[in-house]
């Protein structure tokens, strides 16, 4: 059901010097299935990340938060099938046991390994199974790793970019997973991007936040913020480009732009593969008084089950969009000033339906599978984007049957 | 699909002295169908109400807000099939035209008539049709009025109470409608309660707010706050009980308790008839530091599509509840202290699954159609309740096909 989304083949994904990938089979949910992924980094790689704000954050998230940012990480290990969340102190022990197993295998310390888990919450992590799998990992390319981190995803998500800056080549490759429980800060989503530039640890920490705010923090499938969301950037430093030691300047901006472009592709891929999604919806809120206010309005539209079911039905029931704008919490909003477009069709102005609007024009836009809703609040200069999908029978089916 | 909800028959609903009810057929969405309801009040009735906070509030809501509270209202007129919302100044004119038609019919002024509309948003109100219907209304009892205000409701919602206080009888009868776009402040819901006590206008205004906060403002079907939500109390003053002139004292408290009991029945009936609902869920958040915080947590659980689809599937996927508690926005929440019960089964404590928990016990609770989730935050003395329902295939179907 994914909306305009195809998996990349191996040739489309660039190798990143300093990163080796492996997958293994722990049999967490089913046998003969790659459910463990290992990313081994060359020494002196820099790693920074942003993580879920959920107070019931998973044990692996707590471990990552303790260790990052860092220039001393040697490996990332990911398991699917179990989120190791809502598992208390016992969950922490099990996450560390997995890290220790990786450390033993690749000859480093346990605190040089970052754990990531995704899957069912509130069940003990079968760490012995993962430890056993770690002893029998197979080297793979990014396309197989992208597939191995999937849960309810239907399409593997990955992408590469190459940038020439200051006369040197910089390569970027990323993978992501997630299709349900997706909402800013952040999603049951994992995102990893590796690049071969040499970026100072403290700069990388600024960068990962800036990139996340324009990409992974702008997607919503169902409004639920997961316990396990993690977005991590690895900088291996193997490119010839001079080290980047400040979060400013043309080289920094060029790298940031590419990272945003790639992260946006990976984040939007999650929405395009949203559970049961049949439409990809961009919500563009313009001329808000503040970024916060723009976000409130975009969020209300992107979360509304009524808006999302109307998109599923290809029904230009635009009143539901106005309704969501109205309850978004902008308490002094003058609805007379608000204008709303569906695609490039002006549908609402002056507190009601636009005089020029005809339903056939709205219906024509609604039949498309990529649709933009534009809201002009006429209050200031702030703008934000949110990316979401529709709400279908299939969403309910997937989530009602997830554990069975 | 309604959960433990049956319509009342005529004998179960008490006549309220001072209120006459009528229904008519305007043919707004279909022919030969009662889609207009008129409630004519005796002179000197007191009326107060609470209304949606949606900035795109409907034209009739704006008219009611101008006129209430009041001791000068002579009629309430309700139409279904069209919400007269997102209709700008033209919508206001049409609402007033309907009021004028009622005024002409019952010989009063247009500003003594309150309009209410529910149905599709963003389409012009067919006021001529309603005006024509008003000339041909038929007297009915409360059971027929309860049916005439329904939209996607499957069961008419009504109830009566009788109270003996200070040796005098006071009678209460109410009706409500709503099944989708239901969320605090308030819902695509209309609620009306009439009682024959004599309550001073300013006291009635306090009372309606107090009652709404414990009833209609505690229900959530889909998290969408509608443009048209209205809850109104009418006090006809026909009972022999002495006038109530202050919002305090034993008589006031006795009447308030009965109003809350009745309004809660009417509000919960909306959830029980929630679009596609198969389960009625009470979320009880205890020992919060503040009422606001209790509300945040209850709200996050009641809104979560993941929690709601798990209930639909009778799947004790309790991690989704913990997850919702975790992202509710209580930033300093110590998850080690949180305890969660499903029915009377302790399912989570110390940041994870309770040691005593066995899945068969959770599964047994999940099979019931009335389920309580209790969350103890261990932070203070505040408590709140929210009432919600599950999320089913049927919800998507109803909302995808609403306008067709």
């Amino acid at each position: 059901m994914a909306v305009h989304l195809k998996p990349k083949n191996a040739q489309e994904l660039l190798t990143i010097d300093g990163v080796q990938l492996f997958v293994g089979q722990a049999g967490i949910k089913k046998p003969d299935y790659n459910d463990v992924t290992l990313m081994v980094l060359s020494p002196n790689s820099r790693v920074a990340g942003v993580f879920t704000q959920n107070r019931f954050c998973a044990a692996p998230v707590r471990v990552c938060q303790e260790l990052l940012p860092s220039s001393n990480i040697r490996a990332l290990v990911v398991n699917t099938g179990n989120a190791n969340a809502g598992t208390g102190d016992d969950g922490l022990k099990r996450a560390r046991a997995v890290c220790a197993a990786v450390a033993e295998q690749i000859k480093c310390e346990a605190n040089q390994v970052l754990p990531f888990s995704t899957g069912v919450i509130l069940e003990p992590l079968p760490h012995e199974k993962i430890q056993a799998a770690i002893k029998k990992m197979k080297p793979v390319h990014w396309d197989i790793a992208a597939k191995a981190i999937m849960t309810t995803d239907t399409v593997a998500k990955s992408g590469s970019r190459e940038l020439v800056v200051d006369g040197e080549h910089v390569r970027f490759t990323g993978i992501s997973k997630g299709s349900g429980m997706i909402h800013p800060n952040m999603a049951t989503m994992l995102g990893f991007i590796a690049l071969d530039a040499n970026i100072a640890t403290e700069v990388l920490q600024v960068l990962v936040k800036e990139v996340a705010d324009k990409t992974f923090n702008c997607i919503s499938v169902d409004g639920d913020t997961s316990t396990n969301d993690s977005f991590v950037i690895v900088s291996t430093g193997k490119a010839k480009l001079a080290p980047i030691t400040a979060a400013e300047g043309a080289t920094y901006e060029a790298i940031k732009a590419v990272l945003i472009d790639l992260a946006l592709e990976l984040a939007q891929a999650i929405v395009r593969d949203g559970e049961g999604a049949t439409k990809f919806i961009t919500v563009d809120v313009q001329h808000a008084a503040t970024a916060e206010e723009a976000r409130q309005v975009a969020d209300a539209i992107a979360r509304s089950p009524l808006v999302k079911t109307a998109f599923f039905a290809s029904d230009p029931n635009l009143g539901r969009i106005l309704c969501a704008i109205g309850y978004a919490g902008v308490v002094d909003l003058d609805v007379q000033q608000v204008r709303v477009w569906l695609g490039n069709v002006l549908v609402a102005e002056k507190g009601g339906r636009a005089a020029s609007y005809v339903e056939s024009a709205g219906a024509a836009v609604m039949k498309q599978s990529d649709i933009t809703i534009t809201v002009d609040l006429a209050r200031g200069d702030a703008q934000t984007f949110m990316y979401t999908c529709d709400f279908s029978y299939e969403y309910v089916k997937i989530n009602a049957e997830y554990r069975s």
Side-chain angles (χ1 to χ4, degrees), chain A:
Chain A
M1 300 267 283
V3 185
H4 296 167
L5 182 68
K6 286 184 183 164
K8 300 282 196 312
N9 58 42
Q11 294 73 30
E12 294 175 276
L13 299 170
L14 300 172
T15 297
I16 303 300
D17 192 4
V19 178
Q20 288 174 284
L21 298 164
F22 302 85
V23 296
Q25 303 190 335
I28 296 174
K29 284 189 78 175
K30 40 190 168 179
D32 306 324
Y33 184 83
N34 294 334
D35 52 10
V36 181
T37 305
L38 184 64
M39 200 180 294
V40 178
L41 312 182
S42 60
N44 300 314
S45 292
R46 319 298 166 86
V47 183
V50 287
F51 297 91
T52 182
Q53 314 261 312
N54 195 306
R55 295 295 304 168
F56 270 102
C57 71
V61 169
R62 289 166 64 191
V63 175
C64 287
Q65 286 174 320
E66 275 173 27
L67 298 174
L68 293 187
S70 169
S71 58
N72 196 32
I73 300 298
R74 292 298 313 282
L76 286 67
V77 58
V78 186
N79 73 272
T80 62
N82 184 302
N84 195 7
T87 48
D89 291 335
D90 178 63
L92 265 183
K93 280 180 207 153
R94 293 173 190 241
R96 294 194 208 280
V98 169
C99 294
V102 170
E104 192 182 338
Q105 195 69 17
I106 67 165
K107 312 295 173 211
C108 69
E109 301 298 318
N111 66 5
Q112 292 181 288
V113 180
L114 300 176
F116 301 84
S117 296
T118 176
V120 175
I121 309 175
L122 212 65
E123 295 190 0
L125 184 75
H127 63 287
E128 295 94 343
K129 289 183 178 180
I130 300 171
Q131 288 168 310
I134 286 165
K135 293 181 181 158
K136 296 183 286 183
M137 303 290 280
K138 290 180 185 165
V140 293
H141 188 49
W142 287 95
D143 56 327
I144 306 297
K147 210 168 167 188
I149 64 171
M150 288 165 59
T151 54
T152 56
D153 306 59
T154 67
V155 177
K157 298 161 185 74
S158 56
S160 284
R161 298 287 186 278
E162 188 159 14
L163 170 72
V164 180
V165 61
D166 302 341
E168 301 295 345
H169 287 253
V170 179
R171 291 171 151 208
F172 307 70
T173 295
I175 58 176
S176 65
K177 65 87 28 184
S179 62
M181 215 190 258
I182 302 295
H183 194 72
N185 298 313
M186 294 163 48
T188 292
M189 73 118 236
L190 301 176
F192 305 97
I193 295 179
L195 74 164
D196 56 9
N198 180 345
I199 302 174
T201 310
E202 62 278 13
V203 176
L204 196 64
Q205 183 59 40
V206 173
L207 192 55
V208 71
K209 180 83 175 62
E210 287 196 90
V211 172
D213 280 348
K214 296 213 178 269
T215 59
F216 286 104
N217 280 337
C218 295
I219 61 175
S220 178
V221 169
D222 53 20
D224 277 84
T225 304
S226 120
T227 49
N228 290 59
D229 312 329
S230 308
F231 170 51
V232 166
I233 301 181
V234 171
S235 158
T236 67
K238 297 287 188 182
K240 291 182 187 156
L241 186 73
I244 294 166
T245 56
E248 58 184 23
T251 305
Y252 174 83
E253 293 298 335
I255 285 177
K256 184 171 92 176
V258 173
L259 279 169
I260 288 174
D261 184 51
L262 176 55
L264 196 59
E265 180 185 342
L266 296 174
Q268 290 184 350
I270 290 173
V271 176
R272 289 186 182 282
D273 197 18
E275 286 172 346
T278 71
K279 292 201 168 71
F280 179 82
I281 302 160
T282 300
V283 183
D284 173 4
V285 177
Q286 305 181 343
H287 296 117
T290 62
E292 172 60 28
E293 170 180 303
R295 182 59 172 243
Q296 278 176 284
V297 172
D299 197 64
I301 295 169
R303 282 180 80 138
S304 163
L306 288 170
V307 169
K308 291 158 83 87
T309 48
F311 274 97
F312 171 56
S314 295
D315 175 3
N317 190 331
L318 304 162
R320 294 183 179 176
I321 299 172
L322 291 195
C323 178
I325 296 168
Y327 69 67
V330 182
V331 292
D332 60 346
L333 182 69
D334 179 358
V335 299
Q336 293 289 323
Q337 305 301 317
V338 175
R339 287 185 300 166
V340 180
W341 287 261
L342 194 63
N344 53 14
V345 177
L346 178 67
V347 296
E349 64 179 342
K350 297 177 185 158
R353 183 153 63 180
S356 59
Y357 177 68
V358 290
E359 179 129 343
S360 58
V365 176
M366 274 298 198
K367 282 188 192 134
Q368 299 163 16
S369 54
D370 272 59
I371 300 173
T372 298
I373 301 169
T374 306
V375 179
D376 186 332
L377 297 178
R379 292 163 58 88
D381 291 324
Q383 181 177 19
T384 200
F385 292 90
M386 286 276 289
Y387 308 96
T388 190
C389 57
D390 59 333
F391 229 154
S392 68
Y393 300 128
E394 201 61 18
Y395 176 84
V396 176
K397 185 166 156 54
I398 292 167
N399 281 294
E401 294 172 359
Y402 180 47
R403 300 204 317 170
S404 56

